[in-house]
Amino acid sequence: QVQMAESGGGSVQAGGSLRLSCAASGRPYSSHVISWCRGKEREFVATIRWGTGRTYYADSVKGRFTISKDSASNTVNLQMNSLNPADTDLYYCAVGTDLGACKQPLRGFNWGQGTPVTVSS
């Protein structure tokens, strides 16, 4: 079972950038998706299909955030640019099989501690 560990959060001013990383404990299957989610409600932020690299974004972050994967290190990154205070939250990553991974990750998946992002105006 793949577990994830988030890192890279911090505090920035509005307009700034941060790069989050999510390290997998094992190699995800090509059928898996890795999603970035935020907050207690696990709001969907972005998803990447491990096998194809295809990406999906929430409308609120489209054009500002970029999700990518590093197959050599089993890591998924989230480059966040043009941050605004509404992006302030705790960010998590999840493993699933479809775009609903933030709400319904793989059976047996344990959520990590998350990484905090604070954007001040």
Side-chain angles (χ1 to χ4, degrees), residues 21-96:
S21 291
C22 187
S25 61
R27 185 171 184 82
Y29 293 149
S30 60
S31 58
H32 285 160
V33 299
I34 311 297
S35 295
W36 280 98
C37 324
R38 62 188 181 188
K40 290 182 179 180
E41 299 299 318
R42 300 297 193 265
E43 176 192 1
F44 164 69
V45 176
T47 290
I48 188 166
R49 287 198 177 277
W50 190 259
T52 65
R54 186 168 179 178
T55 59
Y56 308 83
Y57 297 93
D59 288 342
S60 59
V61 307
K62 204 171 292 182
R64 301 188 297 123
F65 291 10
T66 302
I67 189 171
S68 61
K69 69 181 178 86
D70 182 341
S71 298
S73 61
N74 295 332
T75 299
V76 171
N77 299 307
L78 185 69
Q79 178 66 41
M80 306 189 297
N81 299 328
S82 301
L83 285 161
N84 60 64
D87 296 315
T88 295
D89 221 324
L90 197 56
Y91 284 69
Y92 303 87
C93 48
V95 184

